[in-house]
Amino acid sequence: MASPIESNSLTRAESTLTERRLIAQNLSGLTRRARTSPGRMRLLSVIAALGTAAVAVTALVVLHAKHDATQFIMSAAQPSMVHASNAYRLFSDADATASVAFITGDGDLVYGHARYSSDLTYATAELAGIARTASATPDIDRNLQLINEQLPTYTGLVETARSNNRQGFPVGAAYLRQASETMRTTILPAVLAIYREEAGKLGHAYHSGLSRRGPAVLLTVAAGLVALMVITQFWLARRTRRTFNLGWLAATVVIAALAIMVTGATTSNSHNLESARRLGSDATGELSSARILAVRAQADESLALIARGSGLGFSQDFDEVASRLRGAHDDGLIPQVQDTLRRVGAAGSADVFGTDLSAFFTEHQNISKLEDRGQYSNAIERTSGVEAPRVTAALAVLDHEIVASQARFVASMQRASFSATAWDAIVLIGAAVGCALIAAGINPRLREYR
Amino acid sequence: MKRALRLVAVAVTSAVLAAGCSSPTDGRLDSSLRLLDITPPSSASASTKPPPRPTCVGDYTRSLRPGGPLPRPSDLPAGSFMRVIKARGYLKVGVDQNTKLLGYYNPNTRQFEGFDIDIAQEVAKAIFGAKWRQGIRYVALLTGQRFTAVAQGKVDLVADAATINCARTKMVAFSNVYFLAHQRVLIRSDSRAKTPADLRGRPVCATSGSTAKDTFKQELPSSVPYLVGARTDCLVALQLVKVDGILSDNAILYGMLAQDPHTKLLGGDDSRQNLSNEPYGLAVAATHKDFVRFVNAVLERMRTTGRWTQLWNTWFSAVVHAPPPNQPPARYIDQAG
């Protein structure tokens, strides 16, 4: 008599053996049945139904990926990027306003104060916008905190510069230079870090939104399924002596139509995303950079005129900024922006902007010449009388085009966005209809074998 | 049928592989953002290479003797540089625009003003006479450019608190000493410091590249140097309590006193507290010897007419509570000793 444990283990071994045998029998049964015509029909129908489900699932995954990317770009990534870009532009503008006012005899910022303080007010509002929209990373938090710490230092230095200027004290110019340095060495780099991080997120969102991998997988799966179903129908036609299986034909058409519709939707989405990126986001970034650099060049010129006798590097900074704007062989930001403006049909703006900025650079040379010839007062009069209006005109064009590129972004994104729920319904209904048609097409043929 | 299925499988695999290579972003946004990343100008002036120490025999502040009494504006010697200036229509003077009382641009009057400016105007008067106002133009110079600007003819004359030293006499010619400045320390009014020793361990500001650095070692060896690029930056540092004192020439510190009533000179107006002698000269290109003699004649006339003392009173009497010093004596190269 074996012990219970032994008998148990024996039973288990026997049962495992039995299971294996059963599976083998079933498999051979399946292959045997697949060799018969009705068995093969059933098998192919199951494969076609599973394929339809696979097409539906792929379509849903692709549509949701596109939808999520589109929504993220529209409601989070681009707004954050624009907030950061605006903050950078406004802070540079405040810096330039204070400097240019100083050189044009408004060192007390009587006339410039409205623009200077509205720049700072709006810039802080844009920072609040970043805090609201940006998915807060530790880097962004740290930079926002740094800006909040440095901003009172900056405004304090500007106010001290004002009160000294009011009394005609040259130390006012030193305060202004230090204010500008605080802006340029602490605040602006912190804003730029945020700007770049947000632009990076936007770039990733576009990348995933524009990815062609999903639609390609969908098309391949659908093409494979359609091919399988067409081949099956040729086989059925020979086996059943009927030219068409209406159910399967309709199912093929439905599946193909579904795949084509979804592909069409994603292609249209990609097309609009691409134009939102090129004509909206990229153009906004490009135009903002041009505006920021033009304003910086103007501030540099003023600070260089103020800082004579002090050995400061504002003239070098001007040259650096000018070379970035003009480029060595017409490859700078100005020709690039002009190119973009012409592509969006704003050739007029491109011309005006180019003419005004080259007039600015010509005037800069005239002013340097006057200064070298010892006509310092004339040089200063020329900055406010002749040069400043050209810069203002160029900036007005850029501001207008920045607004226009934002509008193009919004329009393209509206065209790119679609209702995920509506497409869920279309895909699921399409798939259900496809499966039903497959079943409806094969059942009468199977009945003939009974 | 099997062959057809295999074809489908091949098509699927190749399509999936092809889809893997989706187009990368062209990075236009990023490239336009990268343009904004500029290393900002720094306030410290570019590091100057260590100057070779030339040697001078005797008193290097001695200058060229005037060829006689100052000629009348209508009587300038033929072929002289003064005639060239007159033919051009104006005298080009290199000045500073941020040093109150010496040379600065007054944003309210839109004029250059100060003691140095007035000295240059005396030279313009001697060339152009009554119409001298049209006969002078100012070029604001970077401190480091002063001597190359005059040597290269960008300006005819530099009147910008230029201390005559041996190295500089190798680059340009100097007039007689027109102002004898002394290095001093400016402190806040509420400071209890009485002597430089009281600033032991404390930060004291000076302009980098100035002669003040040498004075630091001798007079303020235990203070902490705080070097800035521009003279006025020191006043900002003092006002923002980043430093406890400014080491500079008294002529420059007077201008700071005039801008901030809450400052005082360490040791007050006591001349025994002077830390160094800084003989200021007007710089002229070494080739224009006739012009150097002419400028020295102008300085001589200022002595006899009392104009020098008058100008000193105009600019410094409000901040210096002592009688005006004497105009520095003329010392000439052909003079013995």
Side-chain angles (χ1 to χ4, degrees), chain A residues 35-52:
Chain A
R35 270 187 224 115
T36 67
S37 289
R40 198 172 270 183
M41 278 180 200
R42 271 198 204 98
L43 185 64
L44 283 168
S45 302
V46 170
I47 291 174
L50 286 175
T52 310

mmCIF file with all atom_site columns, all heavy atoms in Angstrom, chain A residues 35-52:
data_model
loop_
_atom_site.group_PDB
_atom_site.id
_atom_site.type_symbol
_atom_site.label_atom_id
_atom_site.label_alt_id
_atom_site.label_comp_id
_atom_site.label_asym_id
_atom_site.label_entity_id
_atom_site.label_seq_id
_atom_site.pdbx_PDB_ins_code
_atom_site.Cartn_x
_atom_site.Cartn_y
_atom_site.Cartn_z
_atom_site.occupancy
_atom_site.B_iso_or_equiv
_atom_site.pdbx_formal_charge
_atom_site.auth_seq_id
_atom_site.auth_comp_id
_atom_site.auth_asym_id
_atom_site.auth_atom_id
_atom_site.pdbx_PDB_model_num
ATOM 1   N N   . ARG A 1 35 ? -8.278  21.283 -42.010 1.00 0.00 ? 35 ARG A N   1
ATOM 2   C CA  . ARG A 1 35 ? -8.071  20.760 -43.359 1.00 0.00 ? 35 ARG A CA  1
ATOM 3   C C   . ARG A 1 35 ? -9.394  20.593 -44.087 1.00 0.00 ? 35 ARG A C   1
ATOM 4   O O   . ARG A 1 35 ? -9.435  20.598 -45.305 1.00 0.00 ? 35 ARG A O   1
ATOM 5   C CB  . ARG A 1 35 ? -7.320  19.427 -43.282 1.00 0.00 ? 35 ARG A CB  1
ATOM 6   C CG  . ARG A 1 35 ? -5.823  19.646 -43.329 1.00 0.00 ? 35 ARG A CG  1
ATOM 7   C CD  . ARG A 1 35 ? -5.083  18.320 -43.421 1.00 0.00 ? 35 ARG A CD  1
ATOM 8   N NE  . ARG A 1 35 ? -3.945  18.325 -42.500 1.00 0.00 ? 35 ARG A NE  1
ATOM 9   C CZ  . ARG A 1 35 ? -3.831  17.544 -41.457 1.00 0.00 ? 35 ARG A CZ  1
ATOM 10  N NH1 . ARG A 1 35 ? -4.746  16.620 -41.191 1.00 0.00 ? 35 ARG A NH1 1
ATOM 11  N NH2 . ARG A 1 35 ? -2.790  17.642 -40.669 1.00 0.00 ? 35 ARG A NH2 1
ATOM 12  N N   . THR A 1 36 ? -10.473 20.505 -43.306 1.00 0.00 ? 36 THR A N   1
ATOM 13  C CA  . THR A 1 36 ? -11.778 20.412 -43.951 1.00 0.00 ? 36 THR A CA  1
ATOM 14  C C   . THR A 1 36 ? -12.243 21.827 -44.287 1.00 0.00 ? 36 THR A C   1
ATOM 15  O O   . THR A 1 36 ? -11.855 22.797 -43.634 1.00 0.00 ? 36 THR A O   1
ATOM 16  C CB  . THR A 1 36 ? -12.819 19.769 -43.023 1.00 0.00 ? 36 THR A CB  1
ATOM 17  O OG1 . THR A 1 36 ? -13.032 20.666 -41.933 1.00 0.00 ? 36 THR A OG1 1
ATOM 18  C CG2 . THR A 1 36 ? -12.358 18.426 -42.519 1.00 0.00 ? 36 THR A CG2 1
ATOM 19  N N   . SER A 1 37 ? -13.082 21.964 -45.337 1.00 0.00 ? 37 SER A N   1
ATOM 20  C CA  . SER A 1 37 ? -13.534 23.288 -45.764 1.00 0.00 ? 37 SER A CA  1
ATOM 21  C C   . SER A 1 37 ? -14.294 24.056 -44.696 1.00 0.00 ? 37 SER A C   1
ATOM 22  O O   . SER A 1 37 ? -13.969 25.217 -44.438 1.00 0.00 ? 37 SER A O   1
ATOM 23  C CB  . SER A 1 37 ? -14.380 23.167 -47.037 1.00 0.00 ? 37 SER A CB  1
ATOM 24  O OG  . SER A 1 37 ? -13.533 22.834 -48.101 1.00 0.00 ? 37 SER A OG  1
ATOM 25  N N   . PRO A 1 38 ? -15.309 23.510 -44.033 1.00 0.00 ? 38 PRO A N   1
ATOM 26  C CA  . PRO A 1 38 ? -16.033 24.300 -43.024 1.00 0.00 ? 38 PRO A CA  1
ATOM 27  C C   . PRO A 1 38 ? -15.120 24.701 -41.885 1.00 0.00 ? 38 PRO A C   1
ATOM 28  O O   . PRO A 1 38 ? -15.187 25.821 -41.373 1.00 0.00 ? 38 PRO A O   1
ATOM 29  C CB  . PRO A 1 38 ? -17.133 23.376 -42.536 1.00 0.00 ? 38 PRO A CB  1
ATOM 30  C CG  . PRO A 1 38 ? -16.829 22.043 -43.051 1.00 0.00 ? 38 PRO A CG  1
ATOM 31  C CD  . PRO A 1 38 ? -15.858 22.148 -44.162 1.00 0.00 ? 38 PRO A CD  1
ATOM 32  N N   . GLY A 1 39 ? -14.218 23.833 -41.478 1.00 0.00 ? 39 GLY A N   1
ATOM 33  C CA  . GLY A 1 39 ? -13.281 24.171 -40.397 1.00 0.00 ? 39 GLY A CA  1
ATOM 34  C C   . GLY A 1 39 ? -12.430 25.348 -40.810 1.00 0.00 ? 39 GLY A C   1
ATOM 35  O O   . GLY A 1 39 ? -12.215 26.289 -40.041 1.00 0.00 ? 39 GLY A O   1
ATOM 36  N N   . ARG A 1 40 ? -11.942 25.318 -42.020 1.00 0.00 ? 40 ARG A N   1
ATOM 37  C CA  . ARG A 1 40 ? -11.093 26.396 -42.509 1.00 0.00 ? 40 ARG A CA  1
ATOM 38  C C   . ARG A 1 40 ? -11.881 27.705 -42.556 1.00 0.00 ? 40 ARG A C   1
ATOM 39  O O   . ARG A 1 40 ? -11.369 28.772 -42.220 1.00 0.00 ? 40 ARG A O   1
ATOM 40  C CB  . ARG A 1 40 ? -10.597 26.021 -43.910 1.00 0.00 ? 40 ARG A CB  1
ATOM 41  C CG  . ARG A 1 40 ? -9.399  26.833 -44.328 1.00 0.00 ? 40 ARG A CG  1
ATOM 42  C CD  . ARG A 1 40 ? -8.828  26.313 -45.621 1.00 0.00 ? 40 ARG A CD  1
ATOM 43  N NE  . ARG A 1 40 ? -7.808  25.288 -45.381 1.00 0.00 ? 40 ARG A NE  1
ATOM 44  C CZ  . ARG A 1 40 ? -7.117  24.722 -46.368 1.00 0.00 ? 40 ARG A CZ  1
ATOM 45  N NH1 . ARG A 1 40 ? -7.378  25.038 -47.623 1.00 0.00 ? 40 ARG A NH1 1
ATOM 46  N NH2 . ARG A 1 40 ? -6.197  23.823 -46.107 1.00 0.00 ? 40 ARG A NH2 1
ATOM 47  N N   . MET A 1 41 ? -13.149 27.602 -42.960 1.00 0.00 ? 41 MET A N   1
ATOM 48  C CA  . MET A 1 41 ? -13.998 28.811 -42.998 1.00 0.00 ? 41 MET A CA  1
ATOM 49  C C   . MET A 1 41 ? -14.125 29.434 -41.616 1.00 0.00 ? 41 MET A C   1
ATOM 50  O O   . MET A 1 41 ? -13.985 30.634 -41.429 1.00 0.00 ? 41 MET A O   1
ATOM 51  C CB  . MET A 1 41 ? -15.394 28.462 -43.514 1.00 0.00 ? 41 MET A CB  1
ATOM 52  C CG  . MET A 1 41 ? -15.465 28.394 -45.018 1.00 0.00 ? 41 MET A CG  1
ATOM 53  S SD  . MET A 1 41 ? -17.142 27.965 -45.487 1.00 0.00 ? 41 MET A SD  1
ATOM 54  C CE  . MET A 1 41 ? -16.871 27.372 -47.140 1.00 0.00 ? 41 MET A CE  1
ATOM 55  N N   . ARG A 1 42 ? -14.421 28.518 -40.611 1.00 0.00 ? 42 ARG A N   1
ATOM 56  C CA  . ARG A 1 42 ? -14.565 29.033 -39.245 1.00 0.00 ? 42 ARG A CA  1
ATOM 57  C C   . ARG A 1 42 ? -13.278 29.710 -38.776 1.00 0.00 ? 42 ARG A C   1
ATOM 58  O O   . ARG A 1 42 ? -13.292 30.803 -38.239 1.00 0.00 ? 42 ARG A O   1
ATOM 59  C CB  . ARG A 1 42 ? -14.914 27.882 -38.289 1.00 0.00 ? 42 ARG A CB  1
ATOM 60  C CG  . ARG A 1 42 ? -16.392 27.667 -38.196 1.00 0.00 ? 42 ARG A CG  1
ATOM 61  C CD  . ARG A 1 42 ? -16.769 26.851 -36.964 1.00 0.00 ? 42 ARG A CD  1
ATOM 62  N NE  . ARG A 1 42 ? -18.051 26.210 -37.251 1.00 0.00 ? 42 ARG A NE  1
ATOM 63  C CZ  . ARG A 1 42 ? -18.169 24.953 -37.672 1.00 0.00 ? 42 ARG A CZ  1
ATOM 64  N NH1 . ARG A 1 42 ? -17.088 24.192 -37.800 1.00 0.00 ? 42 ARG A NH1 1
ATOM 65  N NH2 . ARG A 1 42 ? -19.364 24.462 -37.946 1.00 0.00 ? 42 ARG A NH2 1
ATOM 66  N N   . LEU A 1 43 ? -12.163 29.025 -39.007 1.00 0.00 ? 43 LEU A N   1
ATOM 67  C CA  . LEU A 1 43 ? -10.883 29.561 -38.559 1.00 0.00 ? 43 LEU A CA  1
ATOM 68  C C   . LEU A 1 43 ? -10.599 30.940 -39.171 1.00 0.00 ? 43 LEU A C   1
ATOM 69  O O   . LEU A 1 43 ? -10.235 31.896 -38.487 1.00 0.00 ? 43 LEU A O   1
ATOM 70  C CB  . LEU A 1 43 ? -9.769  28.576 -38.928 1.00 0.00 ? 43 LEU A CB  1
ATOM 71  C CG  . LEU A 1 43 ? -8.374  28.953 -38.412 1.00 0.00 ? 43 LEU A CG  1
ATOM 72  C CD1 . LEU A 1 43 ? -8.333  28.959 -36.891 1.00 0.00 ? 43 LEU A CD1 1
ATOM 73  C CD2 . LEU A 1 43 ? -7.327  27.971 -38.956 1.00 0.00 ? 43 LEU A CD2 1
ATOM 74  N N   . LEU A 1 44 ? -10.821 31.027 -40.489 1.00 0.00 ? 44 LEU A N   1
ATOM 75  C CA  . LEU A 1 44 ? -10.553 32.301 -41.178 1.00 0.00 ? 44 LEU A CA  1
ATOM 76  C C   . LEU A 1 44 ? -11.476 33.404 -40.645 1.00 0.00 ? 44 LEU A C   1
ATOM 77  O O   . LEU A 1 44 ? -11.069 34.558 -40.514 1.00 0.00 ? 44 LEU A O   1
ATOM 78  C CB  . LEU A 1 44 ? -10.730 32.143 -42.684 1.00 0.00 ? 44 LEU A CB  1
ATOM 79  C CG  . LEU A 1 44 ? -9.552  31.417 -43.370 1.00 0.00 ? 44 LEU A CG  1
ATOM 80  C CD1 . LEU A 1 44 ? -9.930  31.029 -44.793 1.00 0.00 ? 44 LEU A CD1 1
ATOM 81  C CD2 . LEU A 1 44 ? -8.317  32.306 -43.375 1.00 0.00 ? 44 LEU A CD2 1
ATOM 82  N N   . SER A 1 45 ? -12.723 33.040 -40.335 1.00 0.00 ? 45 SER A N   1
ATOM 83  C CA  . SER A 1 45 ? -13.657 34.042 -39.805 1.00 0.00 ? 45 SER A CA  1
ATOM 84  C C   . SER A 1 45 ? -13.176 34.563 -38.466 1.00 0.00 ? 45 SER A C   1
ATOM 85  O O   . SER A 1 45 ? -13.220 35.765 -38.194 1.00 0.00 ? 45 SER A O   1
ATOM 86  C CB  . SER A 1 45 ? -15.056 33.444 -39.631 1.00 0.00 ? 45 SER A CB  1
ATOM 87  O OG  . SER A 1 45 ? -15.493 32.965 -40.869 1.00 0.00 ? 45 SER A OG  1
ATOM 88  N N   . VAL A 1 46 ? -12.701 33.625 -37.613 1.00 0.00 ? 46 VAL A N   1
ATOM 89  C CA  . VAL A 1 46 ? -12.211 34.064 -36.294 1.00 0.00 ? 46 VAL A CA  1
ATOM 90  C C   . VAL A 1 46 ? -11.008 34.995 -36.476 1.00 0.00 ? 46 VAL A C   1
ATOM 91  O O   . VAL A 1 46 ? -10.911 36.052 -35.855 1.00 0.00 ? 46 VAL A O   1
ATOM 92  C CB  . VAL A 1 46 ? -11.846 32.823 -35.430 1.00 0.00 ? 46 VAL A CB  1
ATOM 93  C CG1 . VAL A 1 46 ? -11.105 33.259 -34.171 1.00 0.00 ? 46 VAL A CG1 1
ATOM 94  C CG2 . VAL A 1 46 ? -13.110 32.063 -35.067 1.00 0.00 ? 46 VAL A CG2 1
ATOM 95  N N   . ILE A 1 47 ? -10.089 34.609 -37.384 1.00 0.00 ? 47 ILE A N   1
ATOM 96  C CA  . ILE A 1 47 ? -8.914  35.456 -37.625 1.00 0.00 ? 47 ILE A CA  1
ATOM 97  C C   . ILE A 1 47 ? -9.351  36.836 -38.133 1.00 0.00 ? 47 ILE A C   1
ATOM 98  O O   . ILE A 1 47 ? -8.848  37.870 -37.690 1.00 0.00 ? 47 ILE A O   1
ATOM 99  C CB  . ILE A 1 47 ? -7.951  34.779 -38.626 1.00 0.00 ? 47 ILE A CB  1
ATOM 100 C CG1 . ILE A 1 47 ? -7.324  33.547 -37.962 1.00 0.00 ? 47 ILE A CG1 1
ATOM 101 C CG2 . ILE A 1 47 ? -6.866  35.752 -39.088 1.00 0.00 ? 47 ILE A CG2 1
ATOM 102 C CD1 . ILE A 1 47 ? -6.466  32.725 -38.899 1.00 0.00 ? 47 ILE A CD1 1
ATOM 103 N N   . ALA A 1 48 ? -10.312 36.866 -39.054 1.00 0.00 ? 48 ALA A N   1
ATOM 104 C CA  . ALA A 1 48 ? -10.784 38.144 -39.611 1.00 0.00 ? 48 ALA A CA  1
ATOM 105 C C   . ALA A 1 48 ? -11.407 39.003 -38.508 1.00 0.00 ? 48 ALA A C   1
ATOM 106 O O   . ALA A 1 48 ? -11.166 40.215 -38.439 1.00 0.00 ? 48 ALA A O   1
ATOM 107 C CB  . ALA A 1 48 ? -11.798 37.890 -40.719 1.00 0.00 ? 48 ALA A CB  1
ATOM 108 N N   . ALA A 1 49 ? -12.194 38.369 -37.614 1.00 0.00 ? 49 ALA A N   1
ATOM 109 C CA  . ALA A 1 49 ? -12.822 39.136 -36.524 1.00 0.00 ? 49 ALA A CA  1
ATOM 110 C C   . ALA A 1 49 ? -11.752 39.687 -35.585 1.00 0.00 ? 49 ALA A C   1
ATOM 111 O O   . ALA A 1 49 ? -11.787 40.852 -35.187 1.00 0.00 ? 49 ALA A O   1
ATOM 112 C CB  . ALA A 1 49 ? -13.806 38.246 -35.772 1.00 0.00 ? 49 ALA A CB  1
ATOM 113 N N   . LEU A 1 50 ? -10.756 38.831 -35.255 1.00 0.00 ? 50 LEU A N   1
ATOM 114 C CA  . LEU A 1 50 ? -9.676  39.294 -34.379 1.00 0.00 ? 50 LEU A CA  1
ATOM 115 C C   . LEU A 1 50 ? -8.899  40.421 -35.056 1.00 0.00 ? 50 LEU A C   1
ATOM 116 O O   . LEU A 1 50 ? -8.513  41.410 -34.426 1.00 0.00 ? 50 LEU A O   1
ATOM 117 C CB  . LEU A 1 50 ? -8.732  38.131 -34.041 1.00 0.00 ? 50 LEU A CB  1
ATOM 118 C CG  . LEU A 1 50 ? -9.288  37.107 -33.040 1.00 0.00 ? 50 LEU A CG  1
ATOM 119 C CD1 . LEU A 1 50 ? -8.305  35.940 -32.869 1.00 0.00 ? 50 LEU A CD1 1
ATOM 120 C CD2 . LEU A 1 50 ? -9.589  37.753 -31.694 1.00 0.00 ? 50 LEU A CD2 1
ATOM 121 N N   . GLY A 1 51 ? -8.673  40.272 -36.354 1.00 0.00 ? 51 GLY A N   1
ATOM 122 C CA  . GLY A 1 51 ? -7.977  41.327 -37.121 1.00 0.00 ? 51 GLY A CA  1
ATOM 123 C C   . GLY A 1 51 ? -8.751  42.622 -37.069 1.00 0.00 ? 51 GLY A C   1
ATOM 124 O O   . GLY A 1 51 ? -8.163  43.703 -36.901 1.00 0.00 ? 51 GLY A O   1
ATOM 125 N N   . THR A 1 52 ? -10.075 42.555 -37.203 1.00 0.00 ? 52 THR A N   1
ATOM 126 C CA  . THR A 1 52 ? -10.908 43.758 -37.128 1.00 0.00 ? 52 THR A CA  1
ATOM 127 C C   . THR A 1 52 ? -10.746 44.429 -35.773 1.00 0.00 ? 52 THR A C   1
ATOM 128 O O   . THR A 1 52 ? -10.582 45.651 -35.667 1.00 0.00 ? 52 THR A O   1
ATOM 129 C CB  . THR A 1 52 ? -12.382 43.399 -37.363 1.00 0.00 ? 52 THR A CB  1
ATOM 130 O OG1 . THR A 1 52 ? -12.472 42.608 -38.552 1.00 0.00 ? 52 THR A OG1 1
ATOM 131 C CG2 . THR A 1 52 ? -13.229 44.644 -37.508 1.00 0.00 ? 52 THR A CG2 1
#
